Amino acid sequence: MKRMKKMKNRGSDFITTEDLKAAYTVVQNSPLCIRTPMIHRCQQAFSIEENVQLHLKLENSQTTGSFKVRGLANQMAHLPKAVVDGDCHVITMSAGNYGKALSYAANKLGIQATVLMPKTAPDNRAVLMRGYGSKVVKVDVSELQSKVDEKVANEGMYFCHPFDDLHLIAGHGSVGLEVLEDVPNPDIVLVCCGGGGLLAGTAAAIKLHCQTPCRVYGVEPKTACTMFQSRVKGDAVTDHTSHSIAAGLSPPYAGKNSFAHNKAFVDDILLVSDSEIISAVKLLYKAGLKVEPSGAAAFSALMHHKVPNVSGKTVVVVITGGNVSPEELANIFDI
């Protein structure tokens, strides 16, 4: 498998402009993905009090309902021959969206997939994955990585990392490149952050290709802020107590590759509460967009005045997913 190049003066492997362009071509040509729309100058429609020009990148309209399939498409393009030939199954861990995307892709490509899910994940996510033919096993969140490692060691499975694979990060960079095509000179880009793969790829694409200065912020729940903690500590941290209504933003650890890109390309991490995320989901829904809590965190940061020096700026918010059931929405509106 091709290794990503090392950038000078960095202690980790970094995706390059060449990697981003190659991954962009893969994503644009992949039958797994679509190019998602951008809603332009919509600040009044979404009752944003700040004096900004607001653009929303709608990854909730992506195939499988979230951005995850972008990075996955580039991962699938670099699978080992043993997986492609059917001699090796793939495995991942996911609370929902990545597992759904991998299950969808594996079904399309004729690959056998196993998804390990935290016991706290909604059952309807598991039903969707099984519908695509994947085997789904629920385990304690603290055991996700160790159980994956056991399957890889004992059964020879190939681990598709849900947020810390370099090919995946490069694939997610297609979001940033599409943003720059639709809004050539943004001042600020806001991206939801869980394990950090989307933030890493999007930030790298923006910083390496934008012709004017642009700030990129990641947004995490206050109670699941492993990337924020990692920036404070200076190294990728593990936190098995992470929890939030935004389950997709609550992995037990920050990715090491994601964190390295975060340090290099992300200006800061902003934190929002669960109640602030819920209010964003409600506002987006009332304006006509079905967005899951994990997909609304970045919008919540703007809505609740968490973004510094924003007045008069052109702001792009990435709405990252819309996989929320009617029952879950009803519960949110009851909160």
Side-chain angles (χ1 to χ4, degrees):
M1 188 179 298
K2 179 190 170 199
R3 289 283 292 168
M4 299 288 183
K5 301 181 179 106
K6 284 192 176 182
M7 294 180 71
K8 292 180 179 179
N9 303 319
R10 312 280 194 203
S12 175
D13 283 350
F14 275 72
I15 57 174
T16 66
T17 55
E18 291 79 13
D19 297 322
L20 286 162
K21 290 175 182 176
Y24 177 83
T25 299
V26 169
V27 171
Q28 297 301 312
N29 293 328
S30 173
L32 302 176
C33 308
I34 64 169
R35 184 182 179 112
T36 54
M38 179 82 74
I39 303 179
H40 293 279
R41 301 174 185 85
C42 58
Q43 58 274 10
Q44 292 183 341
F46 291 93
S47 305
I48 295 299
E49 297 175 3
E50 303 281 8
N51 175 29
V52 300
Q53 184 183 104
L54 174 63
H55 307 262
L56 298 184
K57 177 66 168 168
L58 300 184
E59 286 298 297
N60 59 322
S61 66
Q62 182 58 264
T63 308
T64 72
S66 83
F67 71 91
K68 296 285 189 179
V69 74
R70 290 177 178 271
L72 199 142
N74 200 43
Q75 281 180 307
M76 295 296 100
H78 294 86
L79 286 174
K81 186 175 184 296
V83 175
V84 176
D85 291 345
D87 299 326
C88 175
H89 295 185
V90 297
I91 187 170
T92 196
M93 54 183 181
S94 170
N97 282 347
Y98 183 84
K100 180 181 178 183
L102 177 63
S103 298
Y104 171 78
N107 179 272
K108 293 289 186 183
L109 300 174
I111 296 168
Q112 295 296 313
T114 296
V115 181
L116 301 190
M117 296 184 71
K119 290 181 178 179
T120 54
D123 288 335
N124 62 346
R125 306 289 198 272
V127 171
L128 283 168
M129 295 175 205
R130 291 189 179 110
Y132 287 122
S134 291
K135 180 180 179 181
V136 179
V137 180
K138 286 197 170 187
V139 301
D140 290 334
V141 66
S142 61
E143 297 180 341
L144 283 169
Q145 187 65 64
S146 62
K147 293 296 184 182
V148 167
D149 293 342
E150 285 179 17
K151 293 284 188 181
V152 171
N154 298 333
E155 300 180 35
M157 291 186 175
Y158 179 79
F159 179 34
C160 289
H161 203 294
F163 54 81
D164 205 39
D165 175 83
L166 289 169
H167 292 301
L168 175 136
I169 290 171
H172 288 333
S174 62
V175 172
L177 295 180
E178 287 183 16
V179 164
L180 293 179
E181 289 176 352
D182 293 338
V183 185
N185 298 302
D187 297 306
I188 297 170
V189 176
L190 302 176
V191 185
C192 305
C193 179
L198 174 66
L199 176 60
T202 301
I206 296 290
K207 295 290 188 173
L208 293 174
H209 293 90
C210 191
Q211 299 300 308
T212 58
C214 177
R215 284 178 280 148
V216 179
Y217 294 102
V219 182
E220 286 186 305
K222 288 180 178 179
T223 54
C225 56
T226 54
M227 194 61 72
F228 177 86
Q229 294 177 49
S230 298
R231 288 174 69 99
V232 171
K233 183 179 178 181
D235 195 12
V237 305
T238 296
D239 183 0
H240 291 301
T241 68
S242 290
H243 66 281
S244 170
I245 192 169
L249 303 184
S250 308
Y253 62 89
K256 292 185 180 296
N257 289 316
S258 298
F259 174 60
H261 285 75
N262 183 293
K263 286 197 300 182
F265 299 116
V266 176
D267 290 87
D268 205 355
I269 298 293
L270 310 176
L271 302 181
V272 291
S273 67
D274 274 13
S275 62
E276 289 167 338
I277 292 173
I278 289 168
S279 66
V281 171
K282 292 178 178 179
L283 177 58
L284 289 164
Y285 185 81
K286 290 175 181 177
L289 294 179
K290 182 170 72 76
V291 181
E292 65 189 274
S294 297
F299 182 84
S300 176
L302 180 64
M303 178 182 172
H304 292 284
H305 316 292
K306 301 297 180 77
V307 186
N309 188 26
V310 72
S311 181
K313 305 298 184 183
T314 297
V315 180
V316 176
V317 176
V318 182
I319 303 295
T320 55
N323 286 317
V324 56
S325 69
E327 293 77 17
E328 289 168 319
L329 273 176
N331 290 335
I332 288 171
F333 272 81
D334 284 340
I335 296 175

